[in-house]
Amino acid sequence: PKNNRLGGPGSLPKGLAQAPLGRSLRVLNLSGNRFAELPPALLGLRGLQRLSLGGNRLHSIPPDIQGLQSLEFLYLGGNFITSIPPELANLPSLSYLVLCDNKIQSIPPQLAQLHSLRSLSLHNNLLTYLPREILNLVHLEELSLRGNPLVVRFVRDLTYNPPSLQELAGRTIKARNVPYGPSDLPENLLKYLNLASNCPNPKCGGVYFDSCVRQIKFVDFCGKYRLPLMHYLCSPECSSPCSSASQSSTSQSESDSEDEAIAAAHRMQKVLLG
């Protein structure tokens, strides 16, 4: 059904996932149609390995896409997508992700959990930075970034909302390794504590939940490019380039980030920026 006018109600049968064809379907190409959203019938195709919806009218990716656990190839280029749901990172077999020619402004750091990812196409979007976690994509061989307004000078964003009392308590529990279990805390607080992120400042050792400082740091990549990577720090005091930090610590911090990028460069075969 490629290059048709599909996209209205009933374009795909509701019972597709339960039908014999749906259970055996491995490849589906719906590119060049008029879909404004991913058809709900697609989200039940558990055995689907390749899905193409390029050149449609999609404005978002539903979080329920994480149900396509067999998906290896996902093509969503040429749409109007503005953001990527973190749930996309829950596709364990995804190797090729094409999100080019959209209106995406940022990449969720959770994408670093796509350990099978080999190719990531993000060209012709609205990206100004990349999350530092992208360096953890150990199997990534191709990263396409051309046509994005990647920042050309060092930018710092120290907008910081003070942590809530709940976050302060959570930080204290994590920092001091206070033991806790299901018999000590309600389920919602247990889930909250599991969302703690480690501050990347090696001299800090703290954690954060919702309140953090965003900082863009340039690092050398592949010996040719300077990539803007986003750091999330637990507080303004952890921002090493601040006036409170010495020049030597600033240089050391930049060196650490560059070492990260150099290590990733040995894995990455193609970085397409131009």
Side-chain angles (χ1 to χ4, degrees):
K2 176 183 178 183
N3 293 331
N4 285 286
R5 297 184 178 181
L6 299 176
S11 293
L12 297 179
K14 293 183 178 179
L16 178 62
Q18 289 74 39
L21 174 62
R23 290 196 297 267
S24 62
L25 196 60
R26 298 294 179 264
V27 179
L28 181 59
N29 190 341
L30 292 172
S31 295
N33 282 287
R34 298 179 177 180
F35 289 104
E37 61 181 19
L38 256 70
L42 293 184
L43 301 177
L45 298 174
R46 306 297 182 183
L48 196 63
Q49 296 175 354
R50 297 175 63 91
L51 175 60
S52 299
L53 276 160
N56 277 274
R57 301 173 180 177
L58 303 176
H59 284 79
S60 63
I61 304 172
D64 288 345
I65 198 170
Q66 65 183 331
L68 301 179
Q69 289 289 292
S70 300
L71 205 60
E72 300 175 2
F73 176 94
L74 178 59
Y75 190 103
L76 297 175
N79 282 285
F80 302 95
I81 297 168
T82 58
S83 62
I84 304 172
E87 289 81 2
L88 193 63
N90 297 330
L91 298 175
S93 302
L94 193 62
S95 299
Y96 298 90
L97 177 57
V98 182
L99 295 169
C100 60
D101 299 293
N102 278 285
K103 299 181 181 297
I104 299 168
Q105 299 183 39
S106 63
I107 304 299
Q110 289 86 349
L111 284 196
Q113 300 169 20
L114 290 172
H115 301 303
S116 298
L117 198 63
R118 296 184 178 278
S119 178
L120 178 57
S121 296
L122 295 168
H123 52 273
N124 297 331
N125 276 285
L126 301 175
L127 298 172
T128 56
Y129 65 86
L130 300 175
R132 66 190 298 272
E133 287 82 359
I134 201 170
L135 299 178
N136 297 328
L137 291 171
V138 296
H139 293 113
L140 196 63
E141 298 173 354
E142 182 173 352
L143 173 62
S144 178
L145 293 170
R146 66 182 183 274
N148 281 283
L150 292 170
V151 286
V152 295
R153 59 188 178 87
F154 195 90
V155 179
R156 300 188 191 97
D157 181 0
L158 293 179
T159 302
Y160 181 64
N161 295 319
S164 64
L165 291 177
Q166 176 175 285
E167 174 150 353
L168 288 173
R171 290 187 181 196
T172 300
I173 290 173
K174 288 293 188 178
R176 299 186 179 182
N177 294 317
V178 177
Y180 61 88
S183 60
D184 305 310
L185 298 171
E187 183 179 358
N188 64 314
L189 290 182
L190 291 173
K191 290 181 178 179
Y192 179 78
L193 290 172
N194 288 334
L195 296 176
S197 298
N198 293 321
C199 181
N201 186 341
K203 298 180 181 180
C204 172
V207 301
Y208 63 87
F209 294 86
D210 302 311
S211 179
C212 62
V213 171
R214 296 192 307 160
Q215 180 190 47
I216 296 176
K217 183 182 291 292
F218 277 83
V219 297
D220 286 331
F221 203 89
C222 291
K224 184 175 182 181
Y225 301 108
R226 298 279 287 176
L227 286 188
L229 300 183
M230 179 64 80
H231 292 242
Y232 294 88
L233 304 165
C234 68
S235 72
E237 288 73 23
C238 281
S239 181
S240 58
C242 284
S243 57
S244 59
S246 66
Q247 181 63 38
S248 60
S249 64
T250 299
S251 299
Q252 181 62 44
S253 176
E254 292 177 353
S255 177
D256 291 343
S257 296
E258 290 176 1
D259 288 344
E260 279 185 314
I262 290 172
H266 289 300
R267 298 191 302 264
M268 192 81 68
Q269 295 179 4
K270 298 173 73 176
V271 179
L272 306 177
L273 296 178

